[in-house]
């Protein structure tokens, strides 16, 4: 089927792990989707006169996937971090604040990928294993997810009826706010990357599919790339610690702010080339804040009281 054919990616929050609720669909603004149904096959070896394996049987089975989202919205952050608090300030008028924060347990969701008419693949029991958010000055922000899921099937009836409204992605034309430990670093920064890993571990049941997907150690790491500046390099050399705050503005009451808490830099990459501008790349790791025990939080500002 050609690229121009109709297709949608939707997700629905599950109240019971691995059970498609069938309602409450949200349309994902995705640039690409990859869903893999993986069967771990056991190869039975036998002395039966030839070198060939005589038979195989299925052991563990699960779904793996990768989704590249257009950054027109940040709703999937609820499944990356675990929780969302709407309208944080109880405001009665815009701007409204929506805080995505860490939770010990991640909510699961069902994915429905429609392609063409009358048929779709449905993956249930999905959780976000890792996420990558990358921004470079002058370009659209990238947002990629890696997921694990329970199982996948094909449906030919009862498909969701999605709607889609195109919207521009967030871009790093300039960073409205870029600070480390309260110090402004917006004048030197060229790009950033935030990596969030939930280190998920499938808990397989007797049917070979995950009866649960358990959360492991959460890790928040990333890099900041700068125009060369000795004062920036001092953050690594002095083993400094502090919050990294990055805010992007798309329009009026239309912002996203990332706060990487209690970050420290584990590497300084001094890149020097004769034919290129000298750059510094600083690799950071977040430490859990002593008070709230969190590593990262994201605030979305919008004109709507309800975001998700």
């Amino acid at each position: 089927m050609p690229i121009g054919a109709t297709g949608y990616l939707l997700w629905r929050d599950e109240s019971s792990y691995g059970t498609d609720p069938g309602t409450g669909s949200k349309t994902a603004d995705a640039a690409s989707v990859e869903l893999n149904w993986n069967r771990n096959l056991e190869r039975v070896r036998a002395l039966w006169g030839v070198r060939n394996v005589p038979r195989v049987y299925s052991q563990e089975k699960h779904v793996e996937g990768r989704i590249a989202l257009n950054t027109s919205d940040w709703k999937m952050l609820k499944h990356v971090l675990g929780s969302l608090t709407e309208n944080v300030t109880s405001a009665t008028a815009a701007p409204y604040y929506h805080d995505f924060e860490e939770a010990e347990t991640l909510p699961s969701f069902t994915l429905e990928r429609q392609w063409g008419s009358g048929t779709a693949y449905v993956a249930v029991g999905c959780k976000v294993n890792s996420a990558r958010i990358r921004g470079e000055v002058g370009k659209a922000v990238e947002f990629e997810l890696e997921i694990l899921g329970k199982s996948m099937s094909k449906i030919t009836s009862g498909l969701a009826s999605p709607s889609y409204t195109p919207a521009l992605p967030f871009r790093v034309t300039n960073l409205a706010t870029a600070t480390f430990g309260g110090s402004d670093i917006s004048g030197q920064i060229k790009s950033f990357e935030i990596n969030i890993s939930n280190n998920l571990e499938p808990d397989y049941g007797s049917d070979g599919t995950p009866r649960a997907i358990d959360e492991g150690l959460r890790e928040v790491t990333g890099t900041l790339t700068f125009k060369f500046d000795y004062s920036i390099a001092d953050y690594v050399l002095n083993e400094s610690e502090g919050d990294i705050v990055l805010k992007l503005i798309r329009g009026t009451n239309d912002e996203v702010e990332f706060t990487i808490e209690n970050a420290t830099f584990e590497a300084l990459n001094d890149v020097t080339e004769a034919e290129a501008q000298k750059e510094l790349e600083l690799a950071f790791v977040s430490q859990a804040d002593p008070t709230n025990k969190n590593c990262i939080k994201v605030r979305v500002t919008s004109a709507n009281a309800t975001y998700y």
Side-chain angles (χ1 to χ4, degrees):
M1 189 169 289
I3 292 295
T6 57
Y8 288 96
L9 179 69
L10 307 101
W11 84 91
R12 297 180 280 275
D13 291 8
E14 297 177 350
S15 57
S16 177
Y17 176 76
T19 301
D20 182 358
T23 59
S25 297
K26 296 176 176 61
T27 306
D29 185 2
S32 66
V33 183
E34 178 183 340
L35 287 179
N36 303 311
W37 174 227
N38 293 336
R39 298 171 62 209
N40 182 12
L41 297 179
E42 176 69 16
R43 290 156 175 81
V44 179
R45 305 184 186 279
L47 295 172
W48 72 309
V50 297
R51 290 190 297 115
N52 300 327
V53 173
R55 60 193 179 276
V56 299
Y57 64 89
S58 180
Q59 293 196 113
E60 299 166 344
K61 300 171 285 187
H62 67 272
V63 175
E64 289 183 353
R66 184 185 301 269
I67 304 171
L69 294 164
N70 297 316
T71 51
S72 56
D73 65 58
W74 300 95
K75 294 175 183 176
M76 283 300 293
L77 281 171
K78 177 182 176 182
H79 293 281
V80 176
L81 298 180
S83 69
L84 167 63
T85 304
E86 299 272 30
N87 196 10
V88 174
T89 60
S90 299
T92 56
Y96 296 103
Y97 302 111
H98 320 279
D99 282 358
F100 295 90
E101 296 182 302
E102 298 171 2
E104 289 300 297
T105 302
L106 296 177
S108 65
F109 57 97
T110 294
L111 277 176
E112 180 175 322
R113 186 177 67 171
Q114 299 182 13
W115 193 247
S117 60
T119 307
Y121 283 124
V122 173
V124 298
C126 298
K127 288 188 175 183
V128 175
N129 191 31
S130 65
R132 183 182 76 98
I133 301 166
R134 186 181 186 279
E136 183 176 348
V137 172
K139 298 182 180 180
V141 179
E142 301 170 4
F143 185 18
E144 294 185 354
L145 307 177
E146 290 189 357
I147 65 168
L148 291 177
K150 177 181 176 68
S151 62
M152 187 165 70
S153 60
K154 184 180 76 174
I155 61 172
T156 55
S157 63
L159 277 68
S161 300
S163 61
Y164 174 69
T165 302
L168 289 174
F170 276 84
R171 293 175 295 164
V172 191
T173 50
N174 55 47
L175 283 160
T177 300
T179 61
F180 172 65
S183 300
D184 184 16
I185 55 176
S186 60
Q188 300 100 326
I189 193 169
K190 299 184 69 173
S191 66
F192 67 86
E193 181 171 313
I194 304 169
N195 297 298
I196 304 164
S197 177
N198 288 310
N199 287 307
L200 299 181
E201 185 69 29
D203 175 19
Y204 293 99
S206 58
D207 65 350
T209 65
R211 57 190 172 189
I213 295 180
D214 298 325
E215 294 77 9
L217 180 70
R218 182 186 289 110
E219 297 177 281
V220 179
T221 60
T223 57
L224 301 175
T225 303
F226 299 90
K227 295 168 60 176
F228 181 79
D229 189 317
Y230 278 115
S231 63
I232 297 295
D234 285 346
Y235 290 138
V236 185
L237 300 178
N238 296 336
E239 301 183 2
S240 303
E241 298 181 3
D243 290 355
I244 298 171
V245 180
L246 305 169
K247 179 191 284 188
L248 307 175
I249 296 178
R250 185 170 54 177
T252 303
N253 298 329
D254 196 5
E255 305 173 1
V256 61
E257 181 179 86
F258 304 92
T259 301
I260 296 95
E261 301 190 65
N262 203 23
T264 190
F265 297 100
E266 61 179 343
L268 165 63
N269 186 9
D270 182 350
V271 181
T272 305
E273 297 181 21
E275 298 180 356
Q277 185 183 57
K278 187 170 173 59
E279 294 182 352
L280 291 173
E281 182 180 270
L282 276 57
F284 65 80
V285 59
S286 176
Q287 307 165 96
D289 181 270
T291 301
N292 60 33
K293 306 298 191 295
N294 291 339
C295 284
I296 184 172
K297 60 184 178 182
V298 183
R299 167 165 287 188
V300 174
T301 302
S302 77
N304 300 316
T306 301
Y307 185 76
Y308 187 81

